[in-house]
Amino acid sequence: MRLPTLVLLFILLLMAAFSVLNWGVFMAPTDVSLGFTTVQLPLGLFMLGLLVLVCALFLLYVVYLQATALLDTRRHTRELRSNRELADQAEASRFTELRAFLEAGQAQGSARHDEAQAALLTRIAQLEQTLREVVEQQANSLAASIGELEDRLEASGPPAADRG
């Protein structure tokens, strides 16, 4: 048990022991004024009864406070549970939106990559075509130069091996 409960039980035991030890005095009749009339009754028993009544009222008040606190706790628990569910749903929807956003971004990136790759392949094909044209022009130029040199050599005379 907790310390306050033990202290309260100790005090109640002391009061009960005091009442038992002084039971004769409690039962002695005396004149008691109620304001509008005077009555003869045992004052100790009357005061003991009032003490028991006040204790019972305090006990009822404590039970009422405990019940109210319990009901408030249950209501707060329900509200927290519903708020937690709402937060979980909001978080799930944010994750869904984030996933959709990332997938859209990935699709855009993939499309840009495909476009860049297609443009690069087109540019490589153009450069390859240009290179072929340049090589072909160089080959034609070289062939023309060789042909011109052959013509010059033939015009200057037969080679020395042919003369002899």
Side-chain angles (χ1 to χ4, degrees):
M1 286 190 192
R2 294 183 301 187
L3 184 63
T5 306
L6 291 175
V7 170
L8 183 63
L9 284 176
F10 181 71
I11 291 172
L12 286 176
L13 284 174
L14 283 178
M15 287 174 49
F18 180 76
S19 299
V20 168
L21 292 173
N22 295 303
W23 189 252
V25 176
F26 276 117
M27 294 305 292
T30 184
D31 289 336
V32 178
S33 173
L34 298 177
F36 55 90
T37 185
T38 302
V39 181
Q40 190 169 23
L41 56 96
L43 181 61
L45 189 61
F46 180 71
M47 295 303 286
L48 194 59
L50 284 177
L51 179 66
V52 169
L53 178 68
V54 168
C55 286
L57 289 175
F58 278 130
L59 184 63
L60 287 174
Y61 181 67
V62 167
V63 167
Y64 169 75
L65 286 178
Q66 289 287 339
T68 303
L70 182 64
L71 291 175
D72 284 344
T73 302
R74 286 184 182 173
R75 182 176 50 85
H76 288 299
T77 302
R78 279 194 305 267
E79 288 176 5
L80 283 173
R81 187 178 299 128
S82 66
N83 286 339
R84 186 178 301 128
E85 288 172 2
L86 287 174
D88 288 344
Q89 290 172 356
E91 187 176 354
S93 69
R94 280 191 292 253
F95 279 135
T96 304
E97 289 175 10
L98 179 62
R99 177 178 288 147
F101 177 75
L102 290 176
E103 287 175 354
Q106 186 178 12
Q108 287 177 347
S110 178
R112 276 189 259 144
H113 174 62
D114 291 344
E115 289 174 8
Q117 187 176 12
L120 182 62
L121 291 175
T122 302
R123 178 72 176 144
I124 289 173
Q126 289 174 349
L127 290 174
E128 187 178 341
Q129 181 64 31
T130 304
L131 183 61
R132 281 189 186 134
E133 290 174 2
V134 167
V135 168
E136 189 177 318
Q137 287 175 359
Q138 290 293 327
N140 289 342
S141 174
L142 185 60
S145 295
I146 291 174
E148 186 179 317
L149 284 175
E150 284 179 356
D151 287 344
R152 279 189 195 169
L153 285 174
E154 286 177 5
S156 66
D162 288 340
R163 289 186 199 168

